[in-house]
Amino acid sequence: MFKSLNLGVAAIALAMSGAVSAGPLGIGSTATAEMIAGWDIDIRPDGTGLPEGQGSVADGEGLYEAKCASCHGLFGEGAGRWPVLAGGEGTLDTLHPEKTVGSYWPYASTLWDYIHRAMPYPAPQSLTDDEVYAISAYVLYLNDIVDEDFVATKESFAQVKMPNEPNFYIDNRPDVQNTRCMEDCADPSEFTIVATVNGVTPTGHFKEDSGVAANHYGGDEPKAAAVEVALSDAATAGQAVYDKACQACHNMGIAGAPKVGDAGAWVDRIATGMESLHSNAINGYQGPNGVMPAKGGNMSLSDDEVKNAVAYMVESSR
Ligand code: HEC
Ligand code: HEC
């Protein structure tokens, strides 16, 4: 309460000084160094951000019992259905992993940050820095990570190694390294979403017989033109199979699947002949655009059902 009141007063003072025109809640005004410091409370894995101060396991015991044990249990075992804070070692790769500070959390700094920021649950940010050090030390002690004579300080806390740290690593998938492309962007006001996914887009969005789909803003959007082709018997039978087992990828071109109804995507494929299309659909294959799973992953389909679905796809894509 006290903190947000301060922010409000600072914002009003700024607005009245005439330096900037601030909207409600001071939006539009420049944040002062003091305001930023109020939000800048994160502690990094290497301990950056930890304040001066100290607290021992012994100091933490009494504080924990008074302020935390009612929910988290005297030994961190969790009272009732409140979160468990200690134990669970060796359970992470079992059917019932118990993720606690000791068994799961990779960095001790997170404990300091979390307790300081969010606990005790009914009164977040009510603890002094020394109290946070002491209680954090005690929670680490409950997890057998520090000894009973441990005194947490900025320096000693940053040295604590958590048992599960080696199982966390920086996301190394290639797409996280891409440089951001912010050039030649299309005008967002020109974007219209026209695609719909069978069985996913609620049909209630379409006004009956109007040829348009109502959008969320009460306006109208063009509805994809209905495909007016006379289907063979095989294709007619295949439509239901397609809707059930194939449309998830082929309706939208998901995962590199040629989109049904897009003649350009199908012309070369149709040219390879129905036999080849049947065999690829039934047995699956790795193509240049992606993986087509055998029978679309639905092995309960008969070969004939898959062939019918292919007939439907081909005939709707001419
Ligand atoms: C009134 C009950 C209550 C009290 C008292 C309380 N907590 Fe919590 N604590 C919670 C709840 C609820 C959560 C889960 C919050 C969430 O997930 O958003 C939680 C989460 C936590 C977690 C994270 C657990 C995890 O693995 O995700 C820690 C650590 C923690 N509390 C420490 C403390 C400490 C230390 C104190 C005393 C200073 C304290 N809590 C007091 C209810 C309480
Ligand atoms: C998980 C997504 C997925 C599902 C489900 C799926 N497909 Fe495909 N399908 C693909 C992809 C991807 C390709 C394109 C692979 C390539 O050529 O690069 C493809 C290609 C095809 C082709 C073209 C084959 C060729 O030789 O060019 C046919 C025919 C086809 N699928 C039929 C089906 C049928 C029938 C079903 C349902 C029984 C189905 N697919 C379900 C992903 C899927």
Side-chain angles (χ1 to χ4, degrees):
M1 274 316 256
F2 182 63
K3 273 193 177 153
S4 56
L5 191 69
N6 255 347
L7 280 175
V9 170
I12 291 163
L14 258 178
M16 288 194 314
S17 76
V20 280
S21 62
L25 304 175
I27 291 167
S29 63
T30 308
T32 63
E34 197 191 355
M35 289 173 176
I36 293 170
W39 286 100
D40 185 14
I41 59 171
D42 61 295
I43 315 296
R44 309 240 186 108
D46 66 359
T48 303
L50 282 170
E52 298 298 334
Q54 70 164 55
S56 66
V57 169
D59 299 334
E61 181 172 10
L63 287 164
Y64 177 90
E65 283 169 6
K67 293 175 186 273
C68 321
S70 60
C71 294
H72 294 294
L74 269 182
F75 304 101
E77 75 280 17
R81 295 180 59 83
W82 298 107
V84 176
L85 300 186
E89 297 86 8
T91 64
L92 291 189
D93 54 3
T94 68
L95 278 179
H96 300 285
E98 196 173 0
K99 291 169 151 189
T100 72
V101 171
S103 69
Y104 182 67
W105 290 28
Y107 308 113
S109 59
T110 311
L111 187 62
W112 204 101
D113 182 309
Y114 193 102
I115 295 173
H116 171 240
R117 180 186 300 265
M119 292 292 140
Y121 198 57
Q125 299 190 19
S126 62
L127 300 172
T128 66
D129 290 351
D130 284 353
E131 286 174 329
V132 177
Y133 273 118
I135 295 172
S136 303
Y138 187 66
V139 173
L140 292 175
Y141 169 73
L142 288 177
N143 279 287
D144 295 326
I145 293 169
V146 299
D147 294 331
E148 60 188 328
D149 52 7
F150 179 74
V151 178
T153 62
K154 193 173 166 176
E155 289 73 29
S156 71
F157 208 80
Q159 299 302 317
V160 174
K161 284 274 168 232
M162 301 294 271
N164 197 37
E165 178 180 346
N167 294 324
F168 281 75
Y169 56 90
I170 305 287
D171 191 343
N172 59 1
R173 288 169 295 180
D175 53 346
V176 301
Q177 320 272 352
N178 290 343
T179 41
R180 230 186 264 182
C181 164
M182 296 299 283
E183 282 161 25
D184 302 329
C185 303
D187 177 358
S189 67
E190 309 267 291
F191 291 171
T192 10
I193 298 169
V194 289
T196 60
V197 182
N198 277 353
V200 175
T201 308
T203 46
H205 271 54
F206 295 98
K207 293 179 184 167
E208 273 312 311
D209 299 329
S210 67
V212 293
N215 65 25
H216 290 281
Y217 311 101
D220 289 336
E221 293 169 352
K223 179 173 160 184
V227 190
E228 296 285 355
V229 271
L231 297 176
S232 68
D233 288 349
T236 306
Q239 182 165 6
V241 179
Y242 172 80
D243 284 348
K244 181 175 113 186
C246 323
Q247 59 84 16
C249 297
H250 285 279
N251 236 38
M252 308 273 293
I254 294 205
K259 191 172 156 184
V260 164
D262 174 358
W266 282 91
V267 61
D268 288 348
R269 295 177 186 268
I270 293 171
T272 63
M274 288 307 280
E275 216 167 296
S276 163
L277 294 186
H278 285 159
S279 141
N280 279 343
I282 291 167
N283 304 315
Y285 74 109
Q286 161 79 63
N289 304 322
V291 173
M292 163 66 205
K295 296 186 174 179
N298 204 320
M299 296 314 285
S300 62
L301 295 175
S302 70
D303 289 3
D304 281 340
E305 285 175 311
V306 177
K307 286 181 189 173
N308 288 344
V310 174
Y312 172 74
M313 295 163 78
V314 164
E315 290 178 29
S316 325
S317 306
R318 287 217 169 98

